[in-house]
Amino acid sequence: MKILIELNFNSIEDRRTQARLTMAYKILNGHVILQSNLLPKSGSYNPRRHCNAANVGKENQLMEPISKLKVTGHTFFYSIPKMWNQFIT
């Protein structure tokens, strides 16, 4: 851990989180072959706020699907909405 700090590197967990959020952004904005409806928005409306020219707020949150199996809950399409919503608000 000390060497990560000395080299100013992010932890593997931080890099994985960043990669997942980047992929979600690409899916939502049509930059990859996957359809954006794979990550449906929550649909609730809240007047837009602007933070560094990026839209934030309820209308940009993703719907969080419910998983009955722990294994399914850790897959990309089940875990990324919760992660995305934490960074959007």
Side-chain angles (χ1 to χ4, degrees):
M1 191 65 154
K2 183 179 176 185
I3 195 163
L4 290 176
I5 295 169
E6 289 176 10
L7 295 173
N8 200 22
F9 285 173
N10 293 330
S11 69
I12 187 74
E13 184 179 347
D14 290 342
R15 288 184 279 159
R16 286 179 180 162
T17 299
Q18 183 178 7
R20 286 174 179 239
L21 291 170
T22 301
M23 179 55 80
Y25 174 85
K26 289 179 179 182
I27 291 170
L28 291 169
N29 291 287
H31 297 292
V32 291
I33 197 168
L34 299 172
Q35 297 175 356
S36 63
N37 65 356
L38 292 172
L39 293 171
K41 295 202 174 183
S42 66
S44 56
Y45 178 75
N46 193 11
R48 287 185 178 197
R49 302 175 296 165
H50 292 281
C51 177
N52 296 333
N55 292 330
V56 295
K58 295 282 185 190
E59 73 274 6
N60 292 307
Q61 288 190 341
L62 299 176
M63 185 173 58
E64 297 180 23
I66 298 169
S67 171
K68 293 182 180 181
L69 299 174
K70 189 174 184 179
V71 144
T72 307
H74 292 294
T75 63
F76 180 82
F77 290 105
Y78 280 85
S79 64
I80 200 63
K82 185 173 185 174
M83 198 180 302
W84 178 269
N85 293 341
Q86 289 175 348
F87 285 98
I88 287 295
T89 56

